[in-house]
Amino acid sequence: MTGTTRVRDFRLVPLALLVWATALLCVYVPGAAGCCAAVLLLAALASFGMLIAGTRRHGGSRGGLPAVIAVTMAAAALSVVFATPAREQTVELDGRNIEVTGTVSSSSSTGSDGRAWFDAQTLAGTPSDGDVPAGVPVRIGVDRIPGLELGAVIRVRGQAMVTEAGERAALVVFGTEVEILRPAEGIFGIAAGVREDFVARALRLPEPGAGLLPGLAVGDTRAVSDELNEAMLLSGLSHLTAVSGANCAIVCGAVFWFVSICGGGRGLRVVLALGSLAAFVVLVTPEPSVIRASVMAGLAMTSLLCGRPGAGVGVLCLAVVGILVADPWLATTPGFALSAAATAALIVLAPPLARGMARWMPPPIALALAIPLAAQLACGPIIALFAEQQSLIGIPANMLAEPAAPIATVVGLLACLAAPIPLLADLLAASAWLPAAWIATTAHVSAAVPGGIIAVVPGVLAASAVALLSTAVGVVLSVDGLARSRLIRRLSHATLVIAAALLGGRMLLGGPLAPLTVPGTWSIAACDVGQGDALLVRSQHQIALIDTGIEDEPIADCLNALSISRIDLLVITHFDADHAGAAASLAGRIGTVLHGPARTDEEARLLQALEAGGSRVVEASAGMRGALGDARWEVLWPRAGSAAFPGGNDGSVVVEFSGGEVPRSLFLGDLGALPQRMLATDLRGQYAVVKVAHHGSADQHPDLYAQISPRVALYSAGIENTYGHPRREIIEVTESVGAVTLRTDLQGRILLAQEDGELLVWTERVRDTADGDEPE
């Protein structure tokens, strides 16, 4: 290896950053955009004047960059100024029922509410007493119907909601009626047909891999199961199913390589590569996110393929500036930041990583691993700014899965293009299935690694920690730049050793050693599942679980830590996601399910899934009784056939446990004040433990807590949740009757045991419930 120094031109980086900052300021404070544009234009005129004067005085032109920066920043501000009047007219539509006609401008995805959500540009609208201006970006959610493809013209009736400043869509429309006025035509219609044919062909293949293949090849994730989607998110592989700069780079690189082995010159390679990229964008739907990714990746790949990697940074900066001037609202989207960071990593970080790893492996393999690793290292700190979970297994999972992604993408695309020849298309789809299955398997295995995912508080602190680790990995693997400093290399090695030790310890304590970290003689446990409920009762090795929380991993971690593999009784107090969201993940491990009233088809499907897993499913009502080991349980609420409380919070199943070393305990679900008042008439005697209703919300009946006089009040809530749970006034209510306050948001997992009539308390974290004293 020679000692050639690779020089890159970073002079345009300040321009890109300043334009980005200007766009952020103007879209979040649109009222300041006009003043900002005026000031910047005056600054540009002054800079040009100084430039002209300097040219006349010295006979040469110097200092032109400040003028260019000012003009470009002013252009971004003016884009906001011109778009603001139409957006401001939508404010008066907030909460109204409107009819809007628009052109679909993105692919559709299924939201958590079951609607198909997509972006559109309005053409016309006729609310009851106003008009929706044309050209306003809107986000629309409707019941899915055929034909919701990019380019289709639709008419939607529904309720409008104005978005907050900074959001790209000016309105969100919750559609009640949708009509396709004109289906996607021309190349968009052809592309939609090709995608539909490929999805149908892929779904004839076996899982894992069948549903994932369309996502890898053309970004169509409709066939990806919820389970696989969750695994992809947890393992840091979800970007593979989004059309990103990586997909665009793969297409460019594959075509460039193919033309080169056919003897084509550099010019022909570049032209055909960029032409193929344009066709790929049309195939996967040219929505804004795809266009920005293709522009960035196309420019970056062009600079690399033309043998001008030093110009790549400047080209990327120009692309960022052009995109932000055209659409300043993209500055607020995490996807834009991730696209820019990933493309910058491809240009700046991937080459030195590849050269460094080539010391231990063949250069082609080193390059194949360096590209995804560089993107992961660059994007990690950005993700940590807004993600509540960090995948510690993400980098190794990406290094295992990413080499298969280009194969699935390229071969899958060929299968799409071969649709007129069914036999060839089937053969290519089957060939692409193998790498897709590898990626799906990697996602499932990685997501199941104990301790592989940690909950974090998103923000600058988390981003700084991830940036430190990313820098350390880059220094250790690279051979250029900071890696040349012996001190920095030593510090990087030390950082990674400490991080590996902490990760290994966490994995052991969260996995095989987890049972050794908690007391063995517990009878009640409150799992820390964030903003939700999940409580356990144990008697003679039999287990009852009251609610599951919203996500699969927190309840799984709690069960693993307490060595619980089977649940004898699951009580689903009601079907809100924060109480029953993770119930499906426990199918096959439950004996009996007691549940509140099921009111929707989705709730019925959950019960059917549990029943299919071998559970006995019973709708609970007051008066039902049973045994759990030596303990007894009884349902106290809801009353059978109640018309006043048919379901939801006030129809929560309230259950009591007592006996067999289980202190007399009352679990109130999300019961509100009125049903609490009615329930109080049926309660007799005192309770040692009460699970306070609705995470400690203000909707309580204080007399109930005074009547049962608990010794311990359990509050299950998420740390720093936006609901303000538990409310301070409710904590004062339970403390006023002598109850010790225990909170999962502050103290993590909580275990209670009863010995000789005394309650013993163990908490995962020793933190005060309110004022700085340790809990009793």
Side-chain angles (χ1 to χ4, degrees):
M1 179 178 294
T2 66
T4 302
T5 301
R6 294 167 173 82
V7 179
R8 290 184 173 84
D9 191 346
F10 291 96
R11 287 177 296 176
L12 293 181
V13 171
L15 170 64
L17 294 178
L18 288 171
V19 171
W20 202 323
T22 302
L24 284 172
L25 171 65
C26 293
V27 299
Y28 277 114
V29 190
C35 293
C36 185
V39 170
L40 288 168
L41 287 173
L42 289 175
L45 289 174
S47 297
F48 277 121
M50 294 174 63
L51 176 62
I52 294 171
T55 301
R56 291 175 176 173
R57 185 178 302 114
H58 301 290
S61 59
R62 294 182 298 173
L65 185 58
V68 173
I69 291 176
V71 168
T72 313
M73 293 169 65
L78 286 172
S79 291
V80 177
V81 171
F82 294 145
T84 297
R87 296 173 70 97
E88 287 181 342
Q89 290 181 44
T90 64
V91 173
E92 63 185 23
L93 305 177
D94 192 28
R96 297 183 184 176
N97 290 319
I98 67 171
E99 178 183 285
V100 64
T101 302
T103 303
V104 177
S105 59
S106 76
S107 57
S108 62
S109 59
T110 303
S112 58
D113 57 359
R115 298 171 184 260
W117 286 92
F118 55 90
D119 295 325
Q121 288 288 119
T122 59
L123 298 175
T126 55
S128 56
D129 52 351
D131 291 324
V132 180
V136 173
V138 296
R139 184 75 173 163
I140 298 175
V142 297
D143 292 334
R144 185 177 293 280
I145 62 172
L148 292 176
E149 303 288 349
L150 185 138
V153 177
I154 61 170
R155 179 184 292 124
V156 176
R157 297 177 182 87
Q159 187 174 39
M161 182 182 75
V162 174
T163 60
E164 297 180 355
E167 294 192 36
R168 191 169 184 275
L171 278 178
V172 175
V173 179
F174 297 87
T176 55
E177 300 178 36
V178 59
E179 178 185 359
I180 306 292
L181 298 181
R182 187 178 71 239
E185 299 174 341
I187 58 174
F188 297 132
I190 295 172
V194 170
R195 287 195 305 273
E196 290 292 339
D197 179 80
F198 180 60
V199 171
R201 177 168 282 108
L203 290 179
R204 293 200 292 266
L205 298 168
E207 294 290 356
L212 184 61
L213 180 55
L216 295 170
V218 294
D220 193 317
T221 59
R222 288 175 294 174
V224 178
S225 66
D226 292 340
E227 181 184 6
L228 178 56
N229 185 59
E230 180 72 12
M232 296 285 285
L233 287 170
L234 294 177
S235 57
L237 299 176
S238 59
H239 62 94
L240 295 180
T241 58
V243 179
S244 63
N247 300 81
C248 299
I250 289 169
V251 172
C252 286
V255 174
F256 194 89
W257 170 80
F258 179 75
V259 176
S260 67
I261 65 173
C262 292
R266 184 181 296 274
L268 180 61
R269 298 177 214 170
V270 172
V271 170
L272 291 180
L274 295 180
S276 299
L277 177 60
F280 174 71
V281 169
V282 171
L283 177 62
V284 300
T285 67
E287 54 190 306
S289 62
V290 176
I291 292 174
R292 71 166 183 256
S294 63
V295 169
M296 291 184 182
L299 291 171
M301 289 300 295
T302 301
S303 64
L304 289 173
L305 297 176
C306 290
R308 297 288 303 279
V313 175
V315 171
L316 172 62
C317 291
L318 289 176
V320 168
V321 168
I323 291 172
L324 290 178
V325 169
D327 189 349
W329 278 268
L330 285 174
T332 68
T333 61
F336 181 75
L338 292 172
S339 290
T343 307
L346 175 67
I347 298 169
V348 177
L349 186 56
L353 284 177
R355 291 192 293 271
M357 291 191 291
R359 294 172 292 178
W360 317 306
M361 62 185 70
I365 296 178
L367 180 60
L369 294 177
I371 291 175
L373 178 60
Q376 188 78 8
L377 294 178
C379 294
I382 299 174
I383 294 172
L385 286 172
F386 54 84
E388 296 183 351
Q389 292 181 326
Q390 279 291 313
S391 174
L392 301 181
I393 203 70
I395 289 179
N398 272 272
M399 295 181 71
L400 285 171
E402 288 264 14
I407 302 173
T409 298
V410 173
V411 180
L413 282 173
L414 292 175
C416 279
L417 299 176
I421 311 174
L423 183 61
L424 178 59
D426 287 338
L427 177 61
L428 290 170
S431 301
W433 170 86
L434 184 59
W438 169 261
I439 294 172
T441 302
T442 301
H444 284 300
V445 172
S446 301
V449 171
I453 308 296
I454 59 172
V456 297
V457 178
V460 175
L461 184 61
S464 300
V466 175
L468 177 63
L469 291 175
S470 296
T471 302
V473 172
V475 168
V476 168
L477 294 180
S478 181
V479 292
D480 299 339
L482 294 176
R484 294 177 178 175
S485 169
R486 182 173 299 179
L487 175 61
I488 291 178
R489 289 188 68 85
R490 287 179 177 176
L491 289 174
S492 298
H493 279 101
T495 299
L496 294 181
V497 168
I498 293 172
L502 293 174
L503 173 60
R506 188 181 187 281
M507 292 174 67
L508 287 173
L509 293 176
L513 300 183
L516 302 180
T517 65
V518 298
T521 58
W522 62 270
S523 56
I524 296 176
C527 297
D528 181 11
V529 293
Q531 184 63 16
D533 275 8
L535 299 107
L536 293 156
V537 179
R538 181 177 71 171
S539 177
Q540 290 297 308
H541 304 294
Q542 290 196 357
I543 301 293
L545 172 63
I546 301 122
D547 291 329
T548 67
I550 189 170
E551 296 178 345
D552 298 347
E553 187 195 4
I555 185 61
D557 287 346
C558 186
L559 296 177
N560 290 337
L562 299 176
S563 299
I564 296 172
S565 58
R566 180 166 177 79
I567 297 162
D568 299 282
L569 174 67
L570 171 64
V571 180
I572 300 177
T573 61
H574 60 300
F575 288 91
D576 284 359
D578 57 334
H579 291 256
S585 67
L586 302 175
R589 302 170 57 187
I590 304 168
T592 299
V593 176
L594 279 179
H595 64 88
R599 300 177 296 173
T600 68
D601 292 341
E602 183 179 0
E603 294 167 1
R605 284 194 295 270
L606 171 60
L607 296 176
Q608 290 169 2
L610 295 174
E611 192 169 24
S615 301
R616 185 171 69 95
V617 176
V618 180
E619 182 170 344
S621 61
M624 289 183 175
R625 297 179 176 85
L628 183 79
D630 291 338
R632 304 290 300 175
W633 58 263
E634 180 178 358
V635 176
L636 306 179
W637 190 270
R639 295 169 180 171
S642 173
F645 307 108
N649 288 353
D650 289 345
S652 292
V653 176
V654 175
V655 62
E656 160 192 314
F657 285 84
S658 62
E661 296 302 320
V662 176
R664 193 177 187 219
S665 310
L666 183 64
F667 300 88
L668 290 170
D670 275 1
L671 218 60
L674 178 58
Q676 284 182 30
R677 183 181 298 113
M678 298 174 65
L679 174 66
T681 62
D682 298 329
L683 298 179
R684 299 290 182 269
Q686 297 181 339
Y687 287 82
V689 179
V690 63
K691 199 291 296 185
V692 178
H694 203 186
H695 322 290
S697 76
D699 188 19
Q700 309 283 343
H701 179 52
D703 290 350
L704 179 143
Y705 297 98
Q707 177 180 330
I708 63 176
S709 188
R711 294 155 60 189
V712 168
L714 289 173
Y715 291 88
S716 183
I719 188 168
E720 297 180 357
N721 65 83
T722 58
Y723 304 97
H725 297 161
R727 305 286 294 185
R728 182 62 210 171
E729 61 267 28
I730 303 307
I731 294 176
E732 291 173 353
V733 166
T734 56
E735 288 181 343
S736 69
V737 299
V740 173
T741 299
L742 298 175
R743 297 170 51 173
T744 60
D745 59 334
L746 298 183
Q747 294 158 287
R749 186 166 57 249
I750 300 167
L751 304 183
L752 299 175
Q754 181 173 263
E755 290 186 6
D756 301 325
E758 295 294 325
L759 283 179
L760 304 180
V761 178
W762 176 93
T763 61
E764 187 177 13
R765 297 188 294 270
V766 180
R767 292 182 62 181
D768 178 31
T769 58
D771 302 317
D773 300 326
E774 294 185 3
E776 299 179 25

